[in-house]
């Protein structure tokens, strides 16, 4: 019997357009998302570098684009957060222990909070016993230790804990940590199908 659920954020609650950031950066002269930029992004996601260092790092791959324009391009990925998903979360909060675990950075979180407003963001965060952002905890999915960090912090029982994520690599990392999983397909499924999925556990 599942008593705890750990949710991902992007493409589970907030809708994302991965192509939008890619196109926006291309328009600024970034020819491809190479290994150097990927390493830069991962360093930013675990809080090893700050926003300025991250955006300046991207800037070196552009046609001398200004920092604010690069920041806007980076945030182009963030779309809407449907209200019904927040209402669903609020509804299930009395039935399960809820946690949020997201690979993200302070730029995206600042933009999210500004986009939806402080009241909405506060209502969202308050649905969870604890919110874990990779840039704050210094580790990211799919590292097995990231899941164990939450499990140990809250004395969770892995086989009674469901992890929900849209990325297969994150699902596989969670399974290594002993968690039950739902690999959510955002093109075909919605997080509000949770109760249907829970029938299989």
């Amino acid at each position: 019997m599942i008593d705890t659920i750990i949710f991902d954020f992007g493409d589970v609650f907030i809708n994302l357009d991965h192509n939008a950031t890619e196109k926006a950066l291309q328009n600024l002269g970034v020819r491809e998302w190479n290994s150097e930029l990927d390493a830069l992004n991962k360093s930013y996601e675990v809080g090893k570098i700050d926003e300025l260092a991250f955006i300046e790092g991207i800037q070196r791959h552009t046609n001398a684009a200004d920092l604010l324009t690069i920041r806007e391009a980076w945030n182009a990925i963030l779309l809407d957060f449907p209200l019904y998903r927040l209402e669903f979360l609020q509804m299930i909060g009395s039935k399960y222990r809820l946690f949020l675990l997201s690979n993200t950075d302070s730029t995206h979180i600042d933009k999210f909070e500004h986009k939806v407003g402080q009241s909405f963001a506060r209502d969202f965060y308050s649905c969870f016993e604890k919110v874990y952002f990779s840039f704050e905890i210094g580790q990211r999915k799919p590292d097995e230790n990231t899941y164990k960090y939450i499990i140990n912090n809250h004395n969770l029982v892995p086989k009674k804990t469901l992890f929900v994520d849209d990325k297969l690599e994150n699902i596989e990392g969670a399974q290594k940590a002993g968690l039950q999983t739902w690999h959510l397909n955002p093109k075909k499924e919605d997080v509000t199908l949770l109760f249907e999925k829970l029938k299989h556990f």
Side-chain angles (χ1 to χ4, degrees), residues 39-41 43-55:
L40 185 75
N41 179 31
S43 290
Y44 188 33
E45 276 194 348
V46 294
K48 287 184 177 176
I49 58 173
D50 62 14
E51 181 183 68
L52 182 60
F54 174 65
I55 294 179

Side-chain angles (χ1 to χ4, degrees), residues 121-185:
R122 192 164 51 245
D123 287 348
F124 173 59
Y125 295 149
S126 69
C127 291
F128 303 99
E129 194 170 316
K130 181 79 174 173
V131 171
Y132 288 97
F133 291 138
S134 60
F135 74 94
E136 291 179 332
I137 63 174
Q139 48 192 332
R140 66 194 294 282
K141 303 171 290 188
D143 185 341
E144 188 179 339
N145 290 324
T146 305
Y147 309 95
K148 289 181 176 177
Y149 179 72
I150 298 179
I151 291 167
N152 294 335
N153 275 359
H154 302 280
N155 296 315
L156 305 183
V157 178
K159 64 184 177 183
K160 292 184 177 181
T161 302
L162 179 67
F163 174 71
V164 182
D165 200 294
D166 64 301
K167 288 191 170 66
L168 181 59
E169 63 182 27
N170 295 339
I171 290 293
E172 290 171 344
Q175 288 171 346
K176 287 178 183 175
L179 297 170
Q180 305 288 339
T181 59
W182 170 20
H183 183 203
L184 185 151
N185 182 344

Side-chain angles (χ1 to χ4, degrees), residues 25 28-31 55 57-66 70:
L25 289 173
L28 301 180
V30 178
R31 287 197 295 274
I55 294 179
I58 293 178
Q59 188 181 43
R60 289 193 284 275
H61 295 262
T62 70
N63 299 324
D66 67 84
I70 295 169

Side-chain angles (χ1 to χ4, degrees), residues 1-182:
M1 180 72 79
I2 298 296
D3 59 20
T4 303
I5 306 169
I6 304 172
F7 291 101
D8 177 35
F9 184 27
D11 270 338
V12 172
F13 293 112
I14 188 170
N15 292 319
L16 302 179
D17 183 349
H18 297 273
N19 292 329
T21 283
E22 187 180 337
K23 288 177 184 174
L25 289 173
Q26 284 175 350
N27 290 339
L28 301 180
V30 178
R31 287 197 295 274
E32 64 170 352
W33 189 258
N34 57 33
S35 57
E36 183 184 335
L37 286 168
D38 194 54
L40 185 75
N41 179 31
K42 285 176 178 172
S43 290
Y44 188 33
E45 276 194 348
V46 294
K48 287 184 177 176
I49 58 173
D50 62 14
E51 181 183 68
L52 182 60
F54 174 65
I55 294 179
E56 285 180 341
I58 293 178
Q59 188 181 43
R60 289 193 284 275
H61 295 262
T62 70
N63 299 324
D66 67 84
L67 299 180
L68 192 59
T69 304
I70 295 169
R71 192 179 197 270
E72 288 173 358
W74 185 244
N75 280 330
I77 189 174
L78 301 175
L79 298 178
D80 62 312
F81 186 141
L83 177 61
Y84 72 84
R85 289 183 185 154
L86 173 61
E87 292 172 339
F88 175 74
L89 254 188
Q90 291 170 328
M91 181 187 74
I92 66 171
S94 61
K95 299 181 177 72
Y96 302 94
R97 296 179 70 185
L98 304 180
F99 298 89
L100 189 72
L101 174 61
S102 174
N103 287 350
T104 190
D105 56 63
S106 61
T107 304
H108 281 160
I109 294 305
D110 285 347
K111 179 64 176 180
F112 156 68
E113 292 175 356
H114 179 75
K115 195 177 179 84
V116 302
Q118 288 295 332
S119 178
F120 187 102
R122 192 164 51 245
D123 287 348
F124 173 59
Y125 295 149
S126 69
C127 291
F128 303 99
E129 194 170 316
K130 181 79 174 173
V131 171
Y132 288 97
F133 291 138
S134 60
F135 74 94
E136 291 179 332
I137 63 174
Q139 48 192 332
R140 66 194 294 282
K141 303 171 290 188
D143 185 341
E144 188 179 339
N145 290 324
T146 305
Y147 309 95
K148 289 181 176 177
Y149 179 72
I150 298 179
I151 291 167
N152 294 335
N153 275 359
H154 302 280
N155 296 315
L156 305 183
V157 178
K159 64 184 177 183
K160 292 184 177 181
T161 302
L162 179 67
F163 174 71
V164 182
D165 200 294
D166 64 301
K167 288 191 170 66
L168 181 59
E169 63 182 27
N170 295 339
I171 290 293
E172 290 171 344
Q175 288 171 346
K176 287 178 183 175
L179 297 170
Q180 305 288 339
T181 59
W182 170 20

